[in-house]
Amino acid sequence: MTSKILVPLYALTLILSAFLLFSVQPMFAKMILPFLGGSPSVWNIAMVFFQGMLLGGYAYAHMTSRHLSVRTQAILHILLLSACAVFLPLALPSGLQPSEHPALWQIGLMAGVVGAPFFILSASAPLVQHWFAATDHKDASNPYFLYAASNIGSMVALLSYPVVVEPLLTVRMQNAAWAGGYGVLIALMAFCALLVWNRKTAAGPVVAVSQTPVKIKLAWLALAFIPSSLMLGVTTYITTDMASIPLLWILPLSLYLLTFILVFARREIVKMHVAVSLFTAFITLLIVLMAVKVFDKSIVMLAMHLLVFFFASLLCHKKLADMRPPASDLTGFYMIMSLGGVLGGAFNALVAPFIFVMPLEYTLVLCAVLFVRGYAFLPEKMRFTRPDLSGLVQTPRFWLLSAAIIATYFAISERTITYVIAAALLAGVAMASFRSRPVAYAVVGSIFLMVYSPIMVLQNSNILELRRNFFGVLQVSDHEGLRNFFHGTTLHGAQPISPQFHMTQMTYYHPLGPVGDMFRILDGRKGPQRIGAIGLGTGTIACYKHKDRIFDFYEIDADVVEIAENKKLFSYLSNCGSPYHVTLGDGRLTLENVPDGTYDALIVDAFSSDNIPMHLLTLEALELYMRKVKAGGMIAFNISNRYLDLKPQLASLSRETRVPVIFRYSPSGKIAPDFSLRYAPSIWAVFSPNLETLLPLRKNSKWEPVPPTEHRVWTDDYANILS
């Protein structure tokens, strides 16, 4: 009977442990987002921190397995699990203020609040497998299949959070449920220990000194490093340079976990030659599509990047699983594998932003997979043989590759469709012809990846400024008469280059649009005025100049401030003549220090690429804004967005606060009939505690009331982005 419940019990314990580990990550990241402006980097830093804690947990499991008996280890682990319960439920210290080094501040905060419980939880997977290896079960000599169960728990937690957990539970309820699950896990771990307690193998340490050669351990390290780095690389790339769709980061992590489930399953699901063939086919197709550039920033390219990432990770993890050691070295194997994951994550989240101004790490690690694909992975008949260089020029491959390189040169320099299509087809055929020559294939593929990578062949070659920091990639470039300011793929402002229209407000702030309507109302008022703006961009609204009007900008990114104040790049702030002041920090947090009733108007326009920080749209946020504006003041939200319909949320805020709101959609149009420059389409909503303030706007037929909704209002404790 004991043997029958052994595997289900151990698997259930690992599933719950992994579920707790992966559900606490988005929950805690959500708790700290208001302090860091909703930046996507918060997730990458969180991943690195949790990977580091995972490494610490695996190291603890390895050392205790080497020096303690299973019985002693079980007692110690259950005591530590119980001791770490004092940190529950998780709570942030009062009076938090981010430092000038947000990444280090975030890591320190996470270490102090969630570090201890996560550390001890992370040791559960190797420990339970180690205990299983000490039983007399028929599969005790190969406990690695339990690792697949652990990853199933991780994947369930990851996918269920935005679909089930977030829509149904507030953060406070999630925290309480997580603490309850932690208590259940302690009971399950104790039960697992009891089942192995009386075994003879439990009386002494099971792990012997590792006999694995150093070169094999280095291979484990590299094979874990590459998929980890690639996961964060493709996440940054697709969410910053392709589509800033909320929750899109879930897909790469889910695919990453799925590869572990497939390769560590009880029975072999994927053969190595299948993984190699599929990766080869998809990476070749990706290069062809990147060369053609027809599907740029489309669902086709999004799917292709994810497929290539999946098969690259599957290939590396398959080799990693095939190289796993006997159960006696299980904990050491997991510790090195975890170290590789930490190094891969740290490379992307901490090192790459300082050494690469664009997310080049994604392309470089993808090139590394091409080389890893080589000798170690290919079947015997396809392995590397020394090439005959003397006859190389006589081979069709050589001339095919030469033609592809020449066509590529003309495709980049001439940019004609004929050369582009020719280069793409020749590149694909050239790569296919080298598929059985691992080193040549890797070299050729790497050349084409670097040449055709979107981060190398920039769409606008006239780039004046390019920066990368914790908050993402910032770019200033000239295109078709406009100087544009981009964060990722999202336009944050633009200024006409022509002297005739140089001071004309553009993009979402043009005089014929919603912002122009709002300032025409303010222009009719007498006396001094103060305008607050959360989000600086290029400082365009400073050109709505009026006597005794002062602007206060709240901006979290210091690089944005430097770019907006650089006269050689943008001159709205310097030449429009409006007095202004910039406060660095999260807009909502810094606004708390402003006296109530300060502003005649407050403009909320804080994009993080295409993701609007949710904590700026909650009930508590609107109540704060209402206190900071005067009795007849206005609160304007720029809700222009490619993926989210935010009107229902604004309607729910209006319903809860009984503060009226109206909105206007402004399509794109020319700034002058005889001039080609066009402003951007936008959607704005305006709240006011005084209904009379909105009457002039309401008389304009372009402004409409927000339709009523049953949408549950977002609060600091609850937000459901899928709604």
Side-chain angles (χ1 to χ4, degrees), residues 51-63:
Q51 284 176 320
M53 289 293 100
L54 199 67
L55 173 61
Y58 281 10
Y60 152 77
H62 177 62
M63 296 306 296

Side-chain angles (χ1 to χ4, degrees), residues 210-270:
S210 175
Q211 301 297 318
T212 305
V214 173
K215 65 178 182 179
I216 299 297
K217 293 181 178 180
L218 291 176
W220 295 346
L221 193 70
L223 292 168
F225 174 95
I226 290 173
S228 174
S229 172
L230 201 59
M231 176 187 65
L232 294 186
V234 75
T235 301
T236 299
Y237 173 66
I238 66 177
T239 57
T240 303
D241 294 313
M242 289 191 69
S244 300
I245 300 174
L247 303 178
L248 189 58
W249 55 266
I250 287 178
L251 289 178
L253 184 53
S254 299
L255 294 174
Y256 178 80
L257 294 173
L258 180 58
T259 61
F260 278 119
I261 295 171
L262 293 174
V263 302
F264 283 100
R266 213 166 188 172
R267 297 177 180 84
E268 188 176 35
I269 297 176
V270 181

